[in-house]
Amino acid sequence: MEKRERISLDHFQYLTEILDPSMDDYLFIYDLQNDLYCISPSALDRFPIPGCQFSDVAGNCEKFVYPADVKTLQDDLAQIFNNEKSVHDIEYRWMDREGNPVWINCRGEVTHDEQGKPQFLVGCINEIGLKQRADNTSGAMRETTLQRELEKRQGERLSGYILRIGIDNFKEINENWGIDYGDMILRRTAECIGEMLENGQKFYRIVSDEFIVLNTAKGEGDVEAVKLYKKIRAAIDSFIADNHYEAFYTISAGVLDLTKVNKQNYATLMKLSEFALNEAKNRGKNQHYIYELSDYRMFQYRRRLIEALRHAVNNRCEGFEAYYQPIVDIGKQKLIGAETLLRFQTEELGRIPPTEFIPLLEETGLIIPVGRWVMEQALKACHKIQEKIPDFRVSVNLSYIQVLKSDVLSVILELIGAYRLKPGSLMIELTESGFLESNARFIKFCDELRANGILLALDDFGTGYSNFHYLYNLNPDTIKIDRSFTLEALNNPQEYNLLRHMVEMTHSIDLKLCIEGIETDQELEKISAMDPDYIQGYVFGKPCSYEQFVEQHVRENAAV
Ligand code: C2E
Ligand code: MG
Ligand code: MG
């Protein structure tokens, strides 16, 4: 009786306005007899409700209750109106202002008038999906708390830093030692971070294995953040030692100096700190990286380029083009074939050099469909050129990704068959670099090429890790000398001698040698004196389109 007399909608609204800033939840009262609804004002920011007080609840609820859940709500309310129950406690979805579903728990009690008819439903709504604000595994606060902290200060010019710490290879820790052990590492890492913090520094657990330390005090943001990172690392190292090296792990950190960031809204800060941590990990882990705008621009450019490459792959390789560069048999003074070189351009980004886009194709696996496309272009071109030059052969570069992650041999054999070519019309060019670790696979692939009569060239010889054992193991038909080596030989007598010996050695084990990157007649003369087998360079022609290649090189060399 007493309870009833005290309730009034206006009084309730006045109270919710006072309580709102100190609450995450939304209080509500539903006057069942007058069909009036009143809710905490902050609900209006989040949900598309008509106001903090509104009538026609049944009609209006379709504006903010997730369509699939309207019936659940109506069924429950019908029972309340029919006086069949006096407690409302359901979990269902509302929609936020963008129309996304938001899970809520709505709980309330029904009060009755003197005749015993339901009068008010009074209660509280909380968001069950969002509000996990502290983390019991690590003892740190959760991201939602960080978000509130930063959003409160939005618009202020912040100083200080965000230090985003990630445990390296956390997935492996969980896999190798189990989830409980992983939780222990998380807890211990959180303790190490917590113990190193000073006044005013706060830390939060972000995703499974990442923490953020927020420090908005003035000072040299990045220097201090790095100092803190090193202290935390030392604390973790001594924990590992105390734990008798049972589990060894490291942490990386991305540092964001808040004075260097213009747009300081929450989403941007999270995005940039994530980028900084990823950079630290990409650069080898167990280290820190300090955010630089120029690096971030480069990262964005790479992302745009990847998008453009993926778009091209999904649109019949539009934007890619196969270019061809003549390879000349220097003894016979005759064109013997061409190397196929991939080109890529888009309207927005212009022409991109292969040294830039090929690593991205490899990283994304897109080299597999693109590699197949290049192979087909090359074999089609070879088929047509052989009508004029019957022993013409085409060289195609293969990436280690194609060899390791696709059945590229079947693709090659299928296309050779489709264009009715002799297997010896194709020379595969491989570089050693990516293949080092996966030697056995690499050797097997080369054996299979040879067994099928396909020629093999070892590309970029004289750079990187060239090892004469490769020559023995892989038994290629040709080795190709990279332009960087050629240039050194042209400019330095000792390098020249070295190259000359290499030519002799190559011939002594019955291999052919192709020298790349000869640009002028003078260079040609100097290099020809070494007696290499083939020359590929601007002196005989730059890489060009199929049509230009036929125009400039095939007509004049065609057997009549
Ligand atoms: P690579 O296979 O060693 O190709 C030879 C490179 O030397 C080509 O560069 C060619 O244009 C350049 N070159 C040839 N003669 C001269 C010369 O006289 N002067 C100068 N300055 N350069 C010369 P490009 O076309 O930029 O290709 C670079 C690299 O990209 C290639 O090196 C190859 O490793 C890779 N690549 C190109 N196309 C493909 C492809 O279809 N698949 C794969 N996996 N890699 C490719
Ligand atoms: Mg090559
Ligand atoms: Mg090369």
Side-chain angles (χ1 to χ4, degrees), residues 353-398:
T355 43
E356 233 173 74
F357 72 77
I358 298 234
L360 296 185
L361 288 177
E362 292 181 332
E363 223 172 82
T364 52
L366 291 171
I367 192 72
I368 293 170
V370 177
R372 184 196 165 100
W373 180 86
V374 178
M375 183 65 69
E376 173 146 25
Q377 305 305 305
L379 295 180
K380 202 193 305 176
C382 185
H383 171 78
K384 283 198 259 170
I385 295 172
Q386 282 187 352
E387 289 170 8
K388 301 262 192 269
I389 308 173
D391 54 357
F392 186 85
R393 70 185 191 212
V394 73
S395 294
V396 179
N397 295 285
L398 275 202

Side-chain angles (χ1 to χ4, degrees), residues 431-443:
T431 52
E432 310 143 280
S433 46
F435 291 101
L436 276 171
E437 308 136 60
S438 41
N439 215 294
R441 210 48 206 276
F442 190 23
I443 293 172

Side-chain angles (χ1 to χ4, degrees), residues 339 397 429 431 459-461 480-483 516:
E339 175 171 7
N397 295 285
E429 295 196 8
T431 52
D459 206 357
D460 296 350
F461 206 79
K480 297 188 82 175
I481 300 294
D482 186 67
R483 175 175 149 80
E516 285 185 321

Side-chain angles (χ1 to χ4, degrees), residues 43-142:
L44 198 56
D45 301 335
R46 180 120 170 97
F47 304 106
I49 47 178
C52 357
Q53 243 194 64
F54 59 92
S55 55
D56 184 17
V57 178
N60 274 311
C61 81
E62 288 180 12
K63 293 182 184 150
F64 58 91
V65 175
Y66 194 63
D69 294 351
V70 170
K71 189 162 180 319
T72 315
L73 175 65
Q74 282 171 347
D75 289 350
D76 198 83
L77 290 178
Q79 285 181 304
I80 287 172
F81 280 114
N82 294 337
N83 220 348
E84 290 164 15
K85 65 194 278 191
S86 60
V87 173
H88 172 73
D89 183 3
I90 54 173
E91 288 182 352
Y92 67 108
R93 288 164 290 184
W94 280 19
M95 286 181 292
D96 67 11
R97 290 204 160 271
E98 275 80 51
N100 303 312
V102 177
W103 275 104
I104 57 146
N105 173 233
C106 180
R107 262 180 300 173
E109 292 258 348
V110 180
T111 64
H112 298 86
D113 63 11
E114 280 143 13
Q115 284 80 42
K117 282 203 276 178
Q119 189 176 20
F120 292 111
L121 172 63
V122 192
C124 181
I125 289 174
N126 58 62
E127 289 185 37
I128 45 186
L130 181 72
K131 294 288 158 63
Q132 199 184 358
R133 293 186 37 212
D135 170 34
N136 293 335
T137 304
S138 68
M141 295 301 255
R142 280 271 185 192

Side-chain angles (χ1 to χ4, degrees), residues 135 138 142 167 170 174 186 205-211:
D135 170 34
S138 68
R142 280 271 185 192
I167 299 178
F170 187 63
N174 271 335
L186 266 179
R205 179 169 174 208
I206 302 303
V207 282
S208 71
D209 56 350
E210 290 178 16
F211 299 91

Side-chain angles (χ1 to χ4, degrees), residues 313-333:
V313 169
N314 289 321
N315 286 280
R316 300 177 312 281
C317 283
E318 207 180 281
F320 286 108
E321 199 175 352
Y323 266 35
Y324 301 91
Q325 187 180 27
I327 301 175
V328 170
D329 181 325
I330 204 71
K332 295 187 187 142
Q333 288 284 309

